Amino acid sequence: MSRAAATRLFRALTLGGILGLLALILLQTLWWSPPERLPRSLVLAVLTLPLLPPLRGLLHGRPRTHIATGLLTLPYFLIGSWLAVTPELRGYGLLMAGLSLLLFTGCLGYARLALRSGPAATDADGPTGGISPGDGGRRVR
């Protein structure tokens, strides 16, 4: 498999994982099995809001966003694993854990391939804009 094909595959896994996770949470919370003890809005806010900020960077294919999102998948995997042992929510838990693993795999693979091929022009300067601490504040090119 060529590098371009592998990059497209990992990007598709990432987008499928995050969009699938968002859709699953919305469907479960609003239609299939609404929470009884907590307000729906609270459950939706806690589960979906952390997935929204990285969505733009994932859609644009930014490697740093993929790395950060890979770390974000751990709580969803833990919640899915915890729900999978509950008999009533076993399917929901397994789907959540599976989609979070899909998202993690896609993020890891895409970031690895994208960073190995070289940083993007916007990422080359880094957060300091090309100024390193040891050069007295002069721009290095």
Side-chain angles (χ1 to χ4, degrees):
M1 180 181 293
S2 70
R3 175 170 282 198
T7 304
R8 282 192 305 272
L9 173 69
F10 285 125
R11 185 146 190 248
L13 290 176
T14 300
L15 294 178
I18 195 162
L19 295 176
L21 209 53
L22 282 168
L24 177 71
I25 291 167
L26 287 172
L27 287 172
Q28 177 70 20
T29 306
L30 296 177
W31 288 286
W32 293 337
S33 177
E36 298 171 3
R37 297 180 190 169
L38 296 171
R40 290 181 193 178
S41 58
L42 177 65
V43 174
L44 282 175
V46 168
L47 291 178
T48 59
L49 286 181
L51 294 173
L52 295 180
L55 193 57
R56 182 171 186 234
L58 294 176
L59 290 172
H60 287 285
R62 296 187 179 123
R64 290 183 182 184
T65 306
H66 282 76
I67 294 169
T69 305
L71 297 173
L72 180 69
T73 61
L74 181 61
Y76 292 96
F77 179 75
L78 292 174
I79 292 169
S81 301
W82 179 56
L83 292 173
V85 298
T86 307
E88 308 88 45
L89 298 172
R90 180 167 289 135
Y92 175 56
L94 289 174
L95 277 172
M96 182 180 277
L99 286 170
S100 66
L101 284 176
L102 185 74
L103 178 59
F104 178 75
T105 303
C107 286
L108 181 69
Y110 182 83
R112 186 173 182 200
L113 287 174
L115 291 176
R116 189 179 289 172
S117 66
T122 57
D123 291 341
D125 290 342
T128 61
I131 300 172
S132 64
D135 65 359
R138 293 183 309 272
R139 184 176 277 281
V140 178
R141 289 286 171 192

